[in-house]
Amino acid sequence: MKIGIVGSGAMGSGIAQVVAMAGNDVCLYDSNPIALEKAGANLEATFQKLADKGKISLEDSELYFNKIRLVNKLDELSHSELIIEAIIEDLDIKKDLFQKLENLVSEDCILASNTSSLSMASIAASCQKPNRVIGIHFFNPAPLMALVEIIPAVQTDPALVSQTKSLVESWKKLPAIAKDTPGFIVNRVARPFYGEAIRILEEGVADCATIDYAMTSLGGFRMGPFQLMDFIGHDVNYRVTESVFKEFFYDPKFKPSFTQKRLFEAGFYGRKSGRGFYDYSENAIQPEPNTNPELLEKIFKRVLIMLMNEAADAYFLNIGSVEDIDVAMTKGVNYPKGLLAWADEFGLQNLEKELDELYNFYHEDRYRCSPIIRRLAKENKTFY
């Protein structure tokens, strides 16, 4: 298959690597020749490294690299059967790009966006043939992360969904089909991992190190929420939180925090800037967590309860199936268990009770229990 990719940054070049290694011919486009040259050098080095480690043969490393053609003229993508854009998360810029692409390609070419949270319906509406537009959302780094969210717009041809799913599987990725709502599955369901952790910090229950330790030691998460936000960067993570809050018509569940907003405003983006929730300067002494078992359990349970509730609500509102939601969270952000399977283990009656206790204490909408938890608990049923 001839695949065009727009944007040669980390995501675009990562997608190029994935689809080339699956045997496709790739045109990687970027208007910036310096960025394009850098992407080419990085891809060549990556294939060489894979060969050096014995993961692929030297012949295959050359074959895969030669399947990727670097181009700086958009019309070079005119023969593509599928184009995936991986550019800046700006709706107007994406819409303008899709209008240009539609005038270049054949009527059968699939136009896909790698957007992580923008409206696919809005992107599709910019095209004369919106039925061929679909979301194909990879996770960073694309070669390593198994999940790909597939997001049909309301205008998307239903047959294109199954076709795209087969394509994603042919790239040796795991597809999860998501409804076209802000954040899709992963960026919606993951919000409490950050938001509730910050709330616990703001209330003075524990510091960052203790909250992170609770989630990694008791929950088995690879990184704690503050470590992860610093790793992602507050310029990215805060903007996503702000966008999801706005796009959900200011639902209090997704309300951003002033704590993170101030870090963002100060330019304390995390690891990339040398300071975020933690200090990453050379001689900085990292804080030690409080290892009190009762405190750690309290923290872990509160964050987990909020995550399970959000996953349940995503299912209740048909954002994804039970299986797709759990696959999305385990393969998209490496959660140790699917949140709905975890909710079954926790006990839905227990989950309902814990959420009601939080709501009765705070009287805030963020703690409202999802109706599907109440229904299943009442009927003594489970998600699985």
Side-chain angles (χ1 to χ4, degrees):
M1 190 176 198
K2 294 177 181 176
I3 298 177
I5 296 168
V6 180
S8 68
M11 185 56 81
S13 55
I15 296 170
Q17 179 187 330
V18 168
V19 296
M21 291 180 73
N24 299 280
D25 294 319
V26 183
C27 263
L28 180 58
Y29 164 83
D30 202 300
S31 59
N32 183 337
I34 297 170
L36 200 60
E37 187 179 345
K38 183 182 176 184
N42 287 342
L43 282 163
E44 188 172 23
T46 296
F47 289 127
Q48 183 62 53
K49 198 179 291 182
L50 289 171
D52 292 343
K53 289 181 177 179
K55 294 186 176 180
I56 58 174
S57 67
L58 187 61
E59 292 78 11
D60 279 347
S61 75
E62 292 173 359
L63 173 69
Y64 296 146
F65 180 66
N66 289 331
K67 279 190 167 293
I68 302 171
R69 193 159 62 92
L70 306 175
V71 299
N72 60 7
K73 292 181 180 176
L74 203 60
D75 58 13
E76 295 272 7
L77 304 180
S78 61
H79 299 294
S80 302
E81 296 165 84
L82 163 68
I83 293 180
I84 304 172
E85 68 80 12
I87 61 171
I88 187 171
E89 282 286 270
D90 182 297
L91 184 59
D92 289 335
I93 293 173
K94 287 185 190 292
K95 288 171 79 169
D96 181 62
L97 171 65
F98 272 70
Q99 286 174 351
K100 288 176 180 174
L101 290 172
E102 195 172 40
N103 291 327
L104 290 175
V105 298
S106 72
E107 288 195 358
D108 299 324
C109 179
I110 302 165
L111 298 178
S113 173
N114 184 60
T115 181
S116 60
S117 61
L118 296 176
S119 162
M120 283 307 306
S122 291
I123 293 171
S126 67
C127 295
Q128 292 176 359
K129 281 192 67 181
N131 60 317
R132 55 148 152 203
V133 176
I134 196 164
I136 302 179
H137 177 220
F138 286 79
F139 289 77
N140 201 17
L144 300 180
M145 301 304 287
L147 182 76
V148 174
E149 288 180 322
I150 297 171
I151 310 99
V154 290
Q155 306 99 311
T156 303
D157 182 344
L160 184 54
V161 180
S162 55
Q163 185 184 345
T164 304
K165 186 178 179 184
S166 297
L167 266 177
V168 168
E169 288 170 338
S170 76
W171 303 335
K172 298 179 181 176
K173 295 294 181 184
L174 284 171
I177 298 169
K179 193 174 181 180
D180 183 16
T181 54
F184 311 133
I185 296 174
V186 172
N187 279 318
R188 175 206 179 108
V189 175
R191 289 347 296 161
F193 189 67
Y194 315 113
E196 200 59 26
I198 295 174
R199 181 63 180 265
I200 292 167
L201 174 73
E202 289 177 336
E203 289 178 12
V205 174
D207 62 8
C208 297
T210 302
I211 297 166
D212 279 346
Y213 184 70
M215 300 312 294
T216 54
S217 64
L218 297 186
F221 290 87
R222 293 188 185 184
M223 297 177 80
F226 298 102
Q227 294 167 326
L228 185 53
M229 283 185 279
D230 276 1
F231 179 77
I232 294 168
H234 300 288
D235 52 332
V236 175
N237 187 268
Y238 175 74
R239 279 193 179 118
V240 171
T241 301
E242 193 176 45
S243 169
V244 169
F245 179 53
K246 180 186 173 186
E247 292 300 317
F248 270 109
F249 308 115
Y250 304 100
D251 187 328
K253 281 199 306 178
F254 304 108
K255 189 177 179 180
S257 76
F258 283 113
T259 299
Q260 190 178 28
K261 187 171 192 280
R262 295 296 178 256
L263 291 177
F264 170 71
E265 290 168 340
F268 295 163
Y269 296 151
R271 285 184 177 273
K272 67 180 76 174
S273 67
R275 182 174 166 186
F277 283 109
Y278 294 101
D279 184 350
Y280 297 95
S281 57
E282 195 174 337
N283 299 314
I285 298 171
Q286 298 304 331
E288 291 293 324
N290 182 334
T291 56
N292 180 290
E294 288 183 10
L295 177 61
L296 295 177
E297 179 63 33
K298 179 182 177 182
I299 294 163
F300 165 60
K301 190 165 75 169
R302 182 166 157 185
V303 176
L304 180 62
I305 283 165
M306 295 296 282
L307 284 168
M308 293 187 294
N309 190 45
E310 194 51 51
D313 224 30
Y315 171 61
F316 177 65
L317 297 170
N318 292 303
I319 308 306
S321 68
V322 167
E323 293 78 12
D324 279 349
I325 289 167
D326 275 1
V327 163
M329 301 316 292
T330 53
K331 300 302 182 182
V333 275
N334 289 322
Y335 280 13
K337 291 179 190 175
L339 291 169
L340 298 177
W342 216 336
D344 284 349
E345 284 181 27
F346 189 85
L348 299 188
Q349 289 88 352
N350 291 334
L351 182 53
E352 180 183 27
K353 177 175 170 285
E354 295 282 354
L355 283 161
D356 284 347
E357 284 180 4
L358 283 167
Y359 182 82
N360 290 335
F361 181 78
Y362 289 101
H363 287 281
E364 290 182 45
D365 235 17
R366 70 188 281 133
Y367 299 110
R368 66 182 187 265
C369 177
S370 175
I372 192 65
I373 294 172
R374 294 200 192 281
R375 183 193 301 165
L376 293 175
K378 185 179 180 181
E379 296 172 356
N380 202 26
K381 292 181 179 177
T382 57
F383 287 106
Y384 284 93

